[in-house]
Amino acid sequence: MSRSADDRSASPAPHILQSLPWQTWFVEGVRFVIAPLILFLSGFFTTDFLLSGVYTWPRTSRALALTLTVAILSYEFVYKERKAKPTDRWAMHPLKAVLYSCLLPYGVGALALLALVRLAS
């Protein structure tokens, strides 16, 4: 017995929906470990650049490259990955994932530098 064309097109292939265990670990590792760490350090160094008052071309280009890298990391590895997951009851909205994995660590890194400046003075 063969299935009709409508039945085959309605259900996706089972291998597409299943992900390998290492892929899940990689995705969650990026979202919960790598991205927050990179964003924390980025917030720290970007705030350092802004507070230093030394706006030479090499320092400015490094700050712009860091900002662009962080934006690409946030979009490609957090937002798009969360958006690509099939929605289920426990799935987090992609913008919330970016907020918790990227924006909050960035802000905490900036606040950490400001706290260190406050302690130094």
Side-chain angles (χ1 to χ4, degrees):
M1 297 225 178
S2 87
R3 293 174 21 185
S4 68
D6 293 334
D7 291 339
R8 283 180 280 185
S9 65
S11 64
H15 68 280
I16 294 173
L17 295 177
Q18 296 174 350
S19 63
L20 298 173
W22 68 269
Q23 289 174 332
T24 304
W25 280 99
F26 178 74
V27 167
E28 298 303 322
V30 166
R31 188 168 142 224
F32 291 117
V33 178
I34 296 171
L37 181 63
I38 290 173
L39 271 292
F40 175 84
L41 294 172
S42 176
F44 188 89
F45 289 115
T46 303
T47 305
D48 176 49
F49 167 73
L50 293 174
L51 293 179
S52 72
V54 181
Y55 304 123
T56 62
W57 173 243
R59 289 193 64 177
T60 303
S61 65
R62 279 191 297 246
L64 290 174
L66 178 63
T67 303
L68 183 63
T69 303
V70 164
I72 291 170
L73 168 78
S74 300
Y75 179 72
E76 289 291 329
F77 292 104
V78 178
Y79 179 79
K80 279 178 67 175
E81 184 61 38
R82 182 61 24 213
K83 194 169 182 161
K85 292 242 183 224
T87 58
D88 62 356
R89 205 168 90 179
W90 304 107
M92 183 182 285
H93 191 274
L95 291 178
K96 279 188 180 179
V98 170
L99 173 71
Y100 293 131
S101 296
C102 301
L103 293 178
L104 285 178
Y106 189 87
V108 170
L111 290 175
L113 180 72
L114 292 174
L116 288 174
V117 167
R118 179 84 174 168
L119 285 175
S121 60

